[in-house]
Amino acid sequence: MSLKYHRDKMPWAEIMRSAIHMDYRSHKTSTCGLHIHVNRTAFGSTREAQDECVSRVLYFVEHHWLELLKFSRRTECQMNRWAARYGYKNSPKEILEDAKKGCNGRYACVNITNYHTIEFRMFRGTLKYNTLIATLELVDKICELATDLTDSELKSVSWSDFVGALNDSTEPELITYLKERQLYINTPITTEEDD
């Protein structure tokens, strides 16, 4: 399902309201995570092309770890258990090579052990529509950068550059969420707690 499909066709708001009424707890537990799978074919038609883009995804995550940790609503301890980082290296390819050694298994921030997908595991579960869509928009933008930029171009993207390039018409939930978490480049706004 594309981001557009999730926004326009999936009745996520209704599903989440129903889950709340059924007393589902999601983020109120210590183990629930929001895992997002992205088809490897989104990164290219060959395994080599895919790996090149996946290496840039991993680099972005490592390079902006503190911001993504705050975005995730998880603690460092929870991340270490369910979505450990690979560790910062100087180049995307170095991070990918380290990740391929599989020391984290599937419990990595970006799990690359699946054959057909990569799995973003770092996000805490939610029953809040804005948080779900914002997370999908974030993953979509990270993947877009990984496919559109070269290694050297991606290495020069600061967090301010990343959020400054977001568009209110295409990533409205992400911008709102970043403001709520004080990860945007302007005045923060208040938020209600995730249900």
Side-chain angles (χ1 to χ4, degrees):
M1 291 188 268
S2 67
L3 175 60
K4 181 172 175 38
Y5 187 90
H6 278 286
R7 279 195 287 223
D8 299 344
K9 305 246 189 230
M10 279 299 296
W12 285 120
E14 181 182 319
I15 291 168
M16 291 177 159
R17 276 192 302 275
S18 295
I20 291 167
H21 291 317
M22 292 187 286
D23 291 326
Y24 286 18
R25 298 178 342 160
S26 190
H27 82 283
K28 294 179 182 177
T29 70
S30 62
T31 58
C32 184
L34 171 58
H35 301 182
I36 300 170
H37 288 259
V38 178
N39 284 337
R40 285 183 178 269
T41 56
F43 300 112
S45 57
T46 66
R47 195 63 169 197
E48 184 178 273
Q50 294 167 9
D51 278 356
E52 191 172 312
C53 291
V54 169
S55 73
R56 288 193 284 272
V57 167
L58 298 178
Y59 183 87
F60 184 90
V61 169
E62 290 297 335
H63 189 69
H64 301 292
W65 181 257
L66 293 177
E67 293 87 356
L68 293 173
L69 177 63
K70 189 172 183 179
F71 185 100
S72 76
R73 296 172 296 111
R74 287 188 185 260
T75 65
E76 190 78 48
C77 183
Q78 290 169 327
M79 286 292 226
N80 289 337
R81 181 170 182 197
W82 304 110
R85 65 189 298 189
Y86 293 109
Y88 182 79
K89 305 279 188 281
N90 287 325
S91 76
K93 287 172 185 54
E94 287 179 81
I95 296 173
L96 179 64
E97 289 308 311
D98 193 47
K100 282 184 174 184
K101 293 175 185 168
C103 58
N104 294 333
R106 69 183 178 104
Y107 295 106
C109 52
V110 181
N111 171 18
I112 63 168
T113 63
N114 300 320
Y115 187 76
H116 294 291
T117 67
I118 65 167
E119 175 190 18
F120 289 78
R121 296 180 51 91
M122 64 190 86
F123 310 108
R124 190 173 184 175
T126 187
L127 294 175
K128 187 177 172 189
Y129 176 80
N130 167 262
T131 303
L132 171 67
I133 300 301
T135 305
L136 292 172
E137 289 174 355
L138 173 72
V139 168
D140 186 67
K141 291 309 287 184
I142 292 171
C143 293
E144 182 181 299
L145 283 180
T147 57
D148 291 351
L149 301 181
T150 65
D151 287 5
S152 60
E153 290 169 335
L154 182 73
K155 287 175 79 169
S156 70
V157 175
S158 69
W159 184 258
S160 294
D161 294 335
F162 176 70
V163 298
L166 297 175
N167 186 319
D168 199 34
S169 65
T170 55
E171 296 93 30
E173 302 296 340
L174 177 55
I175 291 172
T176 298
Y177 185 85
L178 290 168
K179 289 177 182 179
E180 291 170 355
R181 299 278 166 218
Q182 298 181 5
L183 289 166
Y184 200 65
I185 50 178
N186 65 353
T187 308
I189 62 173
T190 58
T191 181
E192 62 186 60
E193 184 180 327
D194 276 30
D195 293 322

